[in-house]
Amino acid sequence: MYRKKIVLFALGALVLHSGRGQEVQRFSLVEAQNHAIENNAERLNALLDVQIADKKVWETTALGLPQIEMSANYQHQFSIPEISFGPYLDFNALPSGVPITREDILNAYKPSPPMKIGLADNTTINITATQLVFSGPYIVGLQASKAYKKMSENALQKADRDIRSNVAQTYYTVLLLNETVAILDSSVSNLKRTVDDTKAMAKVGFVDDVVADQLNVSLTMIENSATETKRQYQSAQNLLKFQMGMEISKEIALSDNLETLMVSVSPGTFSDIKSNLESNIDLQIVANQVELSTLQLKLEKSNFLPNLAAFATYQRYLEEPALNFQPTTMAGLSLSIPLFSSGMRRAKMQQAKLSLEKSQNTYEQVKQGLEMELANALAQYTTAWEKYSGEKENKELANKVYQNYRVKFSKGMASQQDVIQANDKHLQAVGNYMAAVVELFNAKLKVDKIIGN
């Protein structure tokens, strides 16, 4: 029975291969949590998501700022159009020094040579600047990008909370297992002395050999429990290093102890709990969804508004043709007005409105659920504290009884069966106490997660 109690709190520990390191690093609970925050891969990815969201905000913002593009276009014309302006009067062909007749004038008219419009090979350089003057979707999109960034920040905060909580649970487990190992080692040492004394008494005929054998069986069982608990302790240490983002081969030691940490889970730590749960990160994430749904509705409404943009263009040929009627500079405004979409825009707006209602319903449901969880968690914590207080007293009393029986046995005032039973009850009380400590720590962590502590 006592063996089941002792290993109850170690369930769920991850079994990883461990190695030996030359340097031992010591961590308090807070230091272990901070180390995990800085090195945990999941948290690092969440931080990158925040940075990506920050760049997304600027990407959206830049859409409404001036945009300048430059393009170059090379073209080759296989057939160049020609234009002719008709015959012209060649004054040099008129006779001089004699009267000019009508026939002389007609003979002086010559056909104009054809003029090519354009060049066979040419390159056009075009520079265009645009500026968004008014766009409803752009305004809403800018707000949505900021909301998206806020959601990424909340996801990072949630990752931090979960990492700290997981590290704390494993840290507590390592301390509990370490204390259990110390208790079992002490019990083994005490029982070994009792076995040795009993064997000496059996040699001189004061007790039967069966007594020594029974004590030796009990000693073997406790030694096996101690060995198993040491393996669980090493596995829990490996899990802690994994959560902290450390190499399994490195050696660590915990600088905090259970007595110090028990202060942090006393009932006085809940004196500042408020009825509202606005600081709960899960509720904040749902609130982000409501905000995004609201912006989606605004976006669909903004599609009914016109869009206005300004532009300016400069164009130039590297080689100017003889005739070029295309302007080199031009500026203007572009107005787009949505007129008719066969009800498509209205249907999208109605869908967004319904989605917003769903998000609001989800928010209220999550909030009510958290209020219920908080009430239950506080009740579980109260029960766990009362159980812990009782089991602590039982452990101390069982240890006192066991030590008394050991003294009495050494003086011949108690039987070996009394010693074995007292030892079993002591170890059972230790297992019950450790299980109560785990339950208390978990109850405290659950309350802290709900209230956003």
Side-chain angles (χ1 to χ4, degrees), residues 112-171:
S112 300
M115 181 178 295
K116 293 184 178 181
I117 303 176
L119 301 173
D121 296 278
N122 208 340
T123 300
T124 306
I125 304 297
N126 188 296
I127 299 177
T128 302
T130 59
Q131 171 64 58
L132 190 63
V133 179
F134 175 80
S135 174
Y138 167 74
I139 297 174
V140 178
L142 186 60
Q143 295 173 342
S145 64
K146 294 179 180 178
Y148 170 71
K149 179 185 177 183
K150 184 178 179 182
M151 176 171 285
S152 300
E153 292 171 344
N154 285 336
L156 176 63
Q157 186 177 345
K158 178 178 173 65
D160 287 349
R161 183 203 67 178
D162 292 342
I163 290 172
R164 290 185 184 277
S165 177
N166 293 336
V167 169
Q169 283 183 315
T170 309
Y171 196 98

Short mmCIF file of all heavy atoms in Angstrom, two decimals, residues 112-171:
data_model
loop_
_atom_site.label_atom_id
_atom_site.label_comp_id
_atom_site.label_asym_id
_atom_site.label_seq_id
_atom_site.Cartn_x
_atom_site.Cartn_y
_atom_site.Cartn_z
N SER A 112 6.21 66.04 -101.36
CA SER A 112 6.95 66.02 -100.07
C SER A 112 7.46 64.61 -99.80
O SER A 112 6.77 63.61 -100.07
CB SER A 112 6.04 66.44 -98.91
OG SER A 112 5.55 67.75 -99.11
N PRO A 113 8.67 64.50 -99.29
CA PRO A 113 9.19 63.16 -98.94
C PRO A 113 8.40 62.59 -97.74
O PRO A 113 8.01 63.34 -96.84
CB PRO A 113 10.66 63.42 -98.58
CG PRO A 113 10.69 64.85 -98.16
CD PRO A 113 9.66 65.56 -98.98
N PRO A 114 8.10 61.31 -97.73
CA PRO A 114 7.35 60.74 -96.59
C PRO A 114 8.17 60.83 -95.30
O PRO A 114 9.39 60.69 -95.30
CB PRO A 114 7.12 59.29 -97.00
CG PRO A 114 8.21 58.98 -97.97
CD PRO A 114 8.50 60.27 -98.69
N MET A 115 7.45 61.08 -94.18
CA MET A 115 8.08 61.19 -92.85
C MET A 115 7.65 60.00 -91.99
O MET A 115 6.46 59.70 -91.88
CB MET A 115 7.66 62.51 -92.18
CG MET A 115 8.30 62.71 -90.80
SD MET A 115 7.81 64.29 -90.09
CE MET A 115 8.56 65.41 -91.24
N LYS A 116 8.63 59.31 -91.42
CA LYS A 116 8.33 58.14 -90.59
C LYS A 116 7.88 58.58 -89.19
O LYS A 116 8.47 59.48 -88.59
CB LYS A 116 9.57 57.25 -90.47
CG LYS A 116 9.97 56.59 -91.79
CD LYS A 116 11.13 55.63 -91.60
CE LYS A 116 11.48 54.95 -92.91
NZ LYS A 116 12.61 53.99 -92.75
N ILE A 117 6.81 57.93 -88.76
CA ILE A 117 6.29 58.21 -87.42
C ILE A 117 6.88 57.18 -86.47
O ILE A 117 6.50 56.01 -86.49
CB ILE A 117 4.76 58.15 -87.40
CG1 ILE A 117 4.19 59.14 -88.41
CG2 ILE A 117 4.23 58.43 -86.01
CD1 ILE A 117 2.69 59.08 -88.52
N GLY A 118 7.80 57.59 -85.63
CA GLY A 118 8.42 56.68 -84.69
C GLY A 118 9.75 56.16 -85.19
O GLY A 118 10.19 56.50 -86.28
N LEU A 119 10.38 55.32 -84.33
CA LEU A 119 11.67 54.74 -84.64
C LEU A 119 11.55 53.23 -84.64
O LEU A 119 10.70 52.64 -83.97
CB LEU A 119 12.72 55.17 -83.61
CG LEU A 119 12.95 56.69 -83.48
CD1 LEU A 119 13.88 57.00 -82.32
CD2 LEU A 119 13.51 57.25 -84.79
N ALA A 120 12.43 52.62 -85.40
CA ALA A 120 12.38 51.15 -85.46
C ALA A 120 12.71 50.53 -84.11
O ALA A 120 12.09 49.57 -83.67
CB ALA A 120 13.35 50.65 -86.54
N ASP A 121 13.68 51.08 -83.41
CA ASP A 121 14.08 50.58 -82.09
C ASP A 121 14.09 51.75 -81.12
O ASP A 121 14.71 52.79 -81.39
CB ASP A 121 15.47 49.94 -82.15
CG ASP A 121 15.49 48.71 -83.03
OD1 ASP A 121 15.09 47.63 -82.55
OD2 ASP A 121 15.89 48.84 -84.20
N ASN A 122 13.43 51.56 -79.98
CA ASN A 122 13.39 52.62 -78.98
C ASN A 122 13.06 52.02 -77.61
O ASN A 122 12.52 50.92 -77.50
CB ASN A 122 12.36 53.68 -79.34
CG ASN A 122 12.75 55.04 -78.78
OD1 ASN A 122 13.56 55.13 -77.84
ND2 ASN A 122 12.18 56.10 -79.35
N THR A 123 13.39 52.75 -76.57
CA THR A 123 13.13 52.33 -75.18
C THR A 123 12.37 53.44 -74.47
O THR A 123 12.75 54.61 -74.57
CB THR A 123 14.44 52.03 -74.43
OG1 THR A 123 15.14 50.99 -75.12
CG2 THR A 123 14.15 51.58 -73.00
N THR A 124 11.33 53.04 -73.77
CA THR A 124 10.50 54.00 -73.04
C THR A 124 10.75 53.84 -71.54
O THR A 124 10.71 52.73 -71.00
CB THR A 124 9.01 53.78 -73.33
OG1 THR A 124 8.80 53.81 -74.74
CG2 THR A 124 8.17 54.85 -72.67
N ILE A 125 10.98 54.95 -70.86
CA ILE A 125 11.14 54.98 -69.40
C ILE A 125 9.88 55.60 -68.82
O ILE A 125 9.46 56.68 -69.23
CB ILE A 125 12.38 55.78 -68.98
CG1 ILE A 125 13.65 55.23 -69.65
CG2 ILE A 125 12.52 55.77 -67.46
CD1 ILE A 125 13.95 53.81 -69.25
N ASN A 126 9.27 54.88 -67.84
CA ASN A 126 8.01 55.34 -67.26
C ASN A 126 8.13 55.31 -65.73
O ASN A 126 8.51 54.30 -65.15
CB ASN A 126 6.86 54.44 -67.71
CG ASN A 126 5.51 55.00 -67.30
OD1 ASN A 126 5.22 55.10 -66.13
ND2 ASN A 126 4.69 55.34 -68.28
N ILE A 127 7.82 56.44 -65.10
CA ILE A 127 7.80 56.55 -63.63
C ILE A 127 6.40 56.96 -63.21
O ILE A 127 5.87 57.98 -63.66
CB ILE A 127 8.85 57.56 -63.12
CG1 ILE A 127 10.25 57.12 -63.54
CG2 ILE A 127 8.76 57.70 -61.60
CD1 ILE A 127 11.33 58.10 -63.15
N THR A 128 5.79 56.16 -62.31
CA THR A 128 4.42 56.41 -61.88
C THR A 128 4.37 56.47 -60.35
O THR A 128 4.92 55.59 -59.67
CB THR A 128 3.46 55.31 -62.37
OG1 THR A 128 3.54 55.24 -63.79
CG2 THR A 128 2.04 55.61 -61.95
N ALA A 129 3.73 57.49 -59.84
CA ALA A 129 3.54 57.64 -58.40
C ALA A 129 2.04 57.61 -58.12
O ALA A 129 1.26 58.28 -58.80
CB ALA A 129 4.16 58.94 -57.90
N THR A 130 1.65 56.81 -57.09
CA THR A 130 0.24 56.73 -56.71
C THR A 130 0.10 56.98 -55.23
O THR A 130 1.01 56.70 -54.43
CB THR A 130 -0.35 55.34 -57.05
OG1 THR A 130 0.39 54.33 -56.37
CG2 THR A 130 -0.30 55.08 -58.55
N GLN A 131 -1.03 57.52 -54.85
CA GLN A 131 -1.33 57.80 -53.45
C GLN A 131 -2.80 57.51 -53.20
O GLN A 131 -3.68 58.07 -53.87
CB GLN A 131 -1.02 59.26 -53.09
CG GLN A 131 -1.51 59.69 -51.72
CD GLN A 131 -0.83 58.94 -50.59
OE1 GLN A 131 0.38 58.97 -50.47
NE2 GLN A 131 -1.61 58.26 -49.78
N LEU A 132 -3.05 56.61 -52.24
CA LEU A 132 -4.42 56.29 -51.87
C LEU A 132 -4.99 57.46 -51.08
O LEU A 132 -4.44 57.84 -50.03
CB LEU A 132 -4.45 55.01 -51.05
CG LEU A 132 -5.82 54.40 -50.78
CD1 LEU A 132 -6.48 53.97 -52.09
CD2 LEU A 132 -5.68 53.21 -49.84
N VAL A 133 -6.08 58.05 -51.57
CA VAL A 133 -6.70 59.18 -50.90
C VAL A 133 -7.76 58.71 -49.90
O VAL A 133 -7.76 59.12 -48.74
CB VAL A 133 -7.33 60.14 -51.94
CG1 VAL A 133 -8.01 61.31 -51.23
CG2 VAL A 133 -6.25 60.66 -52.90
N PHE A 134 -8.63 57.82 -50.33
CA PHE A 134 -9.65 57.29 -49.44
C PHE A 134 -10.00 55.87 -49.86
O PHE A 134 -10.24 55.60 -51.04
CB PHE A 134 -10.92 58.15 -49.45
CG PHE A 134 -12.03 57.56 -48.62
CD1 PHE A 134 -12.04 57.70 -47.25
CD2 PHE A 134 -13.05 56.82 -49.22
CE1 PHE A 134 -13.05 57.13 -46.48
CE2 PHE A 134 -14.07 56.26 -48.47
CZ PHE A 134 -14.06 56.41 -47.09
N SER A 135 -10.01 54.97 -48.87
CA SER A 135 -10.42 53.58 -49.11
C SER A 135 -10.90 52.99 -47.79
O SER A 135 -10.11 52.87 -46.84
CB SER A 135 -9.26 52.76 -49.68
OG SER A 135 -9.63 51.40 -49.77
N GLY A 136 -12.17 52.64 -47.74
CA GLY A 136 -12.72 52.02 -46.54
C GLY A 136 -12.05 50.72 -46.19
O GLY A 136 -11.65 50.50 -45.03
N PRO A 137 -11.87 49.80 -47.15
CA PRO A 137 -11.18 48.54 -46.84
C PRO A 137 -9.77 48.74 -46.30
O PRO A 137 -9.31 47.96 -45.47
CB PRO A 137 -11.17 47.81 -48.18
CG PRO A 137 -12.37 48.34 -48.91
CD PRO A 137 -12.46 49.79 -48.50
N TYR A 138 -9.06 49.79 -46.79
CA TYR A 138 -7.71 50.03 -46.28
C TYR A 138 -7.74 50.42 -44.81
O TYR A 138 -6.95 49.92 -43.99
CB TYR A 138 -7.03 51.13 -47.08
CG TYR A 138 -5.77 51.64 -46.42
CD1 TYR A 138 -4.61 50.87 -46.43
CD2 TYR A 138 -5.74 52.87 -45.77
CE1 TYR A 138 -3.45 51.31 -45.82
CE2 TYR A 138 -4.58 53.32 -45.14
CZ TYR A 138 -3.45 52.55 -45.17
OH TYR A 138 -2.31 52.98 -44.55
N ILE A 139 -8.67 51.28 -44.43
CA ILE A 139 -8.77 51.73 -43.03
C ILE A 139 -9.08 50.55 -42.11
O ILE A 139 -8.46 50.37 -41.07
CB ILE A 139 -9.85 52.83 -42.90
CG1 ILE A 139 -9.43 54.06 -43.72
CG2 ILE A 139 -10.06 53.21 -41.45
CD1 ILE A 139 -10.49 55.14 -43.78
N VAL A 140 -10.04 49.73 -42.54
CA VAL A 140 -10.40 48.57 -41.73
C VAL A 140 -9.26 47.55 -41.70
O VAL A 140 -8.98 46.94 -40.68
CB VAL A 140 -11.70 47.93 -42.25
CG1 VAL A 140 -12.05 46.70 -41.44
CG2 VAL A 140 -12.84 48.92 -42.22
N GLY A 141 -8.61 47.38 -42.84
CA GLY A 141 -7.49 46.44 -42.89
C GLY A 141 -6.35 46.84 -41.97
O GLY A 141 -5.70 45.98 -41.35
N LEU A 142 -6.11 48.14 -41.84
CA LEU A 142 -5.08 48.62 -40.92
C LEU A 142 -5.45 48.29 -39.49
O LEU A 142 -4.60 47.85 -38.69
CB LEU A 142 -4.89 50.13 -41.10
CG LEU A 142 -3.76 50.78 -40.32
CD1 LEU A 142 -2.42 50.15 -40.72
CD2 LEU A 142 -3.73 52.28 -40.57
N GLN A 143 -6.71 48.46 -39.13
CA GLN A 143 -7.17 48.11 -37.79
C GLN A 143 -7.08 46.60 -37.55
O GLN A 143 -6.70 46.15 -36.47
CB GLN A 143 -8.62 48.58 -37.60
CG GLN A 143 -8.78 50.10 -37.65
CD GLN A 143 -10.24 50.52 -37.63
OE1 GLN A 143 -11.13 49.72 -37.91
NE2 GLN A 143 -10.48 51.78 -37.32
N ALA A 144 -7.39 45.82 -38.58
CA ALA A 144 -7.35 44.37 -38.44
C ALA A 144 -5.92 43.87 -38.25
O ALA A 144 -5.68 42.92 -37.50
CB ALA A 144 -7.98 43.72 -39.67
N SER A 145 -4.96 44.50 -38.93
CA SER A 145 -3.57 44.07 -38.78
C SER A 145 -3.08 44.32 -37.35
O SER A 145 -2.32 43.52 -36.79
CB SER A 145 -2.68 44.80 -39.78
OG SER A 145 -2.66 46.20 -39.52
N LYS A 146 -3.53 45.42 -36.75
CA LYS A 146 -3.16 45.69 -35.36
C LYS A 146 -3.83 44.70 -34.41
O LYS A 146 -3.22 44.27 -33.42
CB LYS A 146 -3.53 47.12 -35.00
CG LYS A 146 -2.74 48.18 -35.77
CD LYS A 146 -3.17 49.59 -35.40
CE LYS A 146 -2.36 50.63 -36.18
NZ LYS A 146 -2.79 52.01 -35.86
N ALA A 147 -5.07 44.34 -34.72
CA ALA A 147 -5.75 43.33 -33.90
C ALA A 147 -5.07 41.98 -34.04
O ALA A 147 -4.98 41.21 -33.07
CB ALA A 147 -7.22 43.23 -34.31
N TYR A 148 -4.58 41.68 -35.24
CA TYR A 148 -3.86 40.43 -35.46
C TYR A 148 -2.56 40.40 -34.65
O TYR A 148 -2.19 39.38 -34.07
CB TYR A 148 -3.56 40.28 -36.95
CG TYR A 148 -2.62 39.17 -37.30
CD1 TYR A 148 -3.02 37.83 -37.20
CD2 TYR A 148 -1.32 39.43 -37.75
CE1 TYR A 148 -2.15 36.79 -37.51
CE2 TYR A 148 -0.45 38.41 -38.07
CZ TYR A 148 -0.87 37.10 -37.96
OH TYR A 148 -0.01 36.08 -38.28
N LYS A 149 -1.89 41.54 -34.59
CA LYS A 149 -0.68 41.62 -33.78
C LYS A 149 -1.00 41.41 -32.31
O LYS A 149 -0.28 40.72 -31.58
CB LYS A 149 0.00 42.98 -34.00
CG LYS A 149 1.27 43.15 -33.16
CD LYS A 149 1.85 44.53 -33.30
CE LYS A 149 3.07 44.69 -32.40
NZ LYS A 149 3.64 46.05 -32.45
N LYS A 150 -2.10 42.01 -31.87
CA LYS A 150 -2.51 41.84 -30.47
C LYS A 150 -2.80 40.37 -30.16
O LYS A 150 -2.47 39.87 -29.08
CB LYS A 150 -3.75 42.70 -30.20
CG LYS A 150 -4.20 42.69 -28.75
CD LYS A 150 -5.40 43.60 -28.57
CE LYS A 150 -5.88 43.58 -27.12
NZ LYS A 150 -7.08 44.45 -26.94
N MET A 151 -3.40 39.67 -31.12
CA MET A 151 -3.68 38.25 -30.91
C MET A 151 -2.37 37.46 -30.80
O MET A 151 -2.26 36.53 -29.98
CB MET A 151 -4.53 37.71 -32.06
CG MET A 151 -4.79 36.21 -31.99
SD MET A 151 -6.00 35.66 -33.19
CE MET A 151 -7.51 36.26 -32.43
N SER A 152 -1.38 37.80 -31.61
CA SER A 152 -0.09 37.13 -31.52
C SER A 152 0.57 37.40 -30.17
O SER A 152 1.19 36.50 -29.58
CB SER A 152 0.82 37.60 -32.65
OG SER A 152 0.26 37.30 -33.91
N GLU A 153 0.43 38.62 -29.66
CA GLU A 153 0.98 38.94 -28.36
C GLU A 153 0.28 38.15 -27.25
O GLU A 153 0.92 37.69 -26.29
CB GLU A 153 0.87 40.44 -28.10
CG GLU A 153 1.77 41.28 -29.00
CD GLU A 153 1.49 42.76 -28.88
OE1 GLU A 153 0.42 43.13 -28.35
OE2 GLU A 153 2.33 43.56 -29.33
N ASN A 154 -1.02 37.99 -27.39
CA ASN A 154 -1.76 37.19 -26.41
C ASN A 154 -1.36 35.72 -26.48
O ASN A 154 -1.29 35.03 -25.46
CB ASN A 154 -3.27 37.33 -26.62
CG ASN A 154 -3.80 38.67 -26.13
OD1 ASN A 154 -3.20 39.30 -25.26
ND2 ASN A 154 -4.91 39.11 -26.68
N ALA A 155 -1.12 35.23 -27.70
CA ALA A 155 -0.66 33.85 -27.85
C ALA A 155 0.71 33.66 -27.19
O ALA A 155 0.98 32.61 -26.58
CB ALA A 155 -0.60 33.48 -29.33
N LEU A 156 1.56 34.68 -27.31
CA LEU A 156 2.86 34.63 -26.64
C LEU A 156 2.69 34.61 -25.13
O LEU A 156 3.37 33.85 -24.41
CB LEU A 156 3.71 35.83 -27.06
CG LEU A 156 5.07 35.98 -26.37
CD1 LEU A 156 5.97 34.79 -26.69
CD2 LEU A 156 5.74 37.29 -26.78
N GLN A 157 1.76 35.43 -24.64
CA GLN A 157 1.50 35.47 -23.20
C GLN A 157 0.95 34.12 -22.72
O GLN A 157 1.30 33.65 -21.63
CB GLN A 157 0.50 36.59 -22.88
CG GLN A 157 0.27 36.80 -21.39
CD GLN A 157 -0.67 37.96 -21.12
OE1 GLN A 157 -0.94 38.78 -22.00
NE2 GLN A 157 -1.17 38.04 -19.92
N LYS A 158 0.09 33.51 -23.52
CA LYS A 158 -0.45 32.20 -23.15
C LYS A 158 0.67 31.15 -23.13
O LYS A 158 0.71 30.29 -22.24
CB LYS A 158 -1.53 31.79 -24.16
CG LYS A 158 -2.13 30.40 -23.92
CD LYS A 158 -3.22 30.10 -24.94
CE LYS A 158 -3.70 28.65 -24.80
NZ LYS A 158 -4.36 28.40 -23.51
N ALA A 159 1.57 31.22 -24.10
CA ALA A 159 2.70 30.29 -24.12
C ALA A 159 3.57 30.47 -22.88
O ALA A 159 4.02 29.49 -22.26
CB ALA A 159 3.53 30.48 -25.39
N ASP A 160 3.80 31.73 -22.49
CA ASP A 160 4.58 32.00 -21.28
C ASP A 160 3.89 31.40 -20.05
O ASP A 160 4.55 30.80 -19.19
CB ASP A 160 4.75 33.51 -21.09
CG ASP A 160 5.73 34.11 -22.08
OD1 ASP A 160 6.42 33.33 -22.77
OD2 ASP A 160 5.79 35.34 -22.19
N ARG A 161 2.57 31.59 -19.97
CA ARG A 161 1.83 31.07 -18.82
C ARG A 161 1.92 29.56 -18.75
O ARG A 161 2.18 28.98 -17.69
CB ARG A 161 0.36 31.49 -18.91
CG ARG A 161 -0.50 31.06 -17.73
CD ARG A 161 -1.96 30.99 -18.10
NE ARG A 161 -2.23 29.94 -19.08
CZ ARG A 161 -3.44 29.65 -19.54
NH1 ARG A 161 -4.47 30.36 -19.15
NH2 ARG A 161 -3.60 28.68 -20.42
N ASP A 162 1.72 28.89 -19.88
CA ASP A 162 1.74 27.43 -19.90
C ASP A 162 3.14 26.89 -19.58
O ASP A 162 3.28 25.90 -18.86
CB ASP A 162 1.28 26.92 -21.26
CG ASP A 162 -0.20 27.19 -21.52
OD1 ASP A 162 -0.93 27.46 -20.55
OD2 ASP A 162 -0.61 27.15 -22.70
N ILE A 163 4.16 27.57 -20.10
CA ILE A 163 5.53 27.13 -19.83
C ILE A 163 5.86 27.27 -18.36
O ILE A 163 6.41 26.35 -17.72
CB ILE A 163 6.53 27.92 -20.70
CG1 ILE A 163 6.40 27.51 -22.17
CG2 ILE A 163 7.96 27.70 -20.21
CD1 ILE A 163 7.19 28.37 -23.11
N ARG A 164 5.51 28.42 -17.77
CA ARG A 164 5.78 28.62 -16.34
C ARG A 164 5.02 27.60 -15.49
O ARG A 164 5.55 27.07 -14.51
CB ARG A 164 5.38 30.04 -15.94
CG ARG A 164 6.28 31.12 -16.51
CD ARG A 164 5.93 32.50 -15.98
NE ARG A 164 6.74 33.53 -16.59
CZ ARG A 164 7.96 33.87 -16.19
NH1 ARG A 164 8.49 33.23 -15.16
NH2 ARG A 164 8.64 34.81 -16.78
N SER A 165 3.78 27.32 -15.88
CA SER A 165 2.98 26.36 -15.13
C SER A 165 3.57 24.96 -15.23
O SER A 165 3.70 24.24 -14.22
CB SER A 165 1.54 26.37 -15.64
OG SER A 165 0.75 25.40 -14.97
N ASN A 166 3.97 24.55 -16.44
CA ASN A 166 4.54 23.21 -16.62
C ASN A 166 5.87 23.07 -15.89
O ASN A 166 6.13 22.02 -15.27
CB ASN A 166 4.74 22.93 -18.11
CG ASN A 166 3.42 22.82 -18.86
OD1 ASN A 166 2.38 22.52 -18.28
ND2 ASN A 166 3.44 23.08 -20.16
N VAL A 167 6.69 24.11 -15.95
CA VAL A 167 7.97 24.07 -15.24
C VAL A 167 7.74 23.99 -13.74
O VAL A 167 8.42 23.24 -13.02
CB VAL A 167 8.83 25.30 -15.60
CG1 VAL A 167 10.04 25.41 -14.66
CG2 VAL A 167 9.31 25.22 -17.04
N ALA A 168 6.77 24.74 -13.24
CA ALA A 168 6.47 24.71 -11.80
C ALA A 168 6.02 23.32 -11.37
O ALA A 168 6.47 22.79 -10.34
CB ALA A 168 5.40 25.74 -11.47
N GLN A 169 5.13 22.68 -12.15
CA GLN A 169 4.67 21.34 -11.80
C GLN A 169 5.83 20.36 -11.74
O GLN A 169 5.93 19.56 -10.81
CB GLN A 169 3.63 20.87 -12.82
CG GLN A 169 2.25 21.49 -12.64
CD GLN A 169 1.25 20.93 -13.62
OE1 GLN A 169 1.53 20.79 -14.80
NE2 GLN A 169 0.07 20.59 -13.13
N THR A 170 6.71 20.41 -12.72
CA THR A 170 7.84 19.48 -12.74
C THR A 170 8.83 19.80 -11.64
O THR A 170 9.41 18.90 -11.02
CB THR A 170 8.53 19.53 -14.11
OG1 THR A 170 7.56 19.35 -15.15
CG2 THR A 170 9.56 18.43 -14.24
N TYR A 171 9.03 21.09 -11.37
CA TYR A 171 9.94 21.51 -10.30
C TYR A 171 9.45 20.95 -8.97
O TYR A 171 10.23 20.41 -8.17
CB TYR A 171 9.99 23.04 -10.26
CG TYR A 171 11.15 23.62 -9.48
CD1 TYR A 171 12.30 24.04 -10.13
CD2 TYR A 171 11.08 23.76 -8.10
CE1 TYR A 171 13.36 24.59 -9.42
CE2 TYR A 171 12.14 24.31 -7.38
CZ TYR A 171 13.27 24.72 -8.05
OH TYR A 171 14.32 25.26 -7.34
#
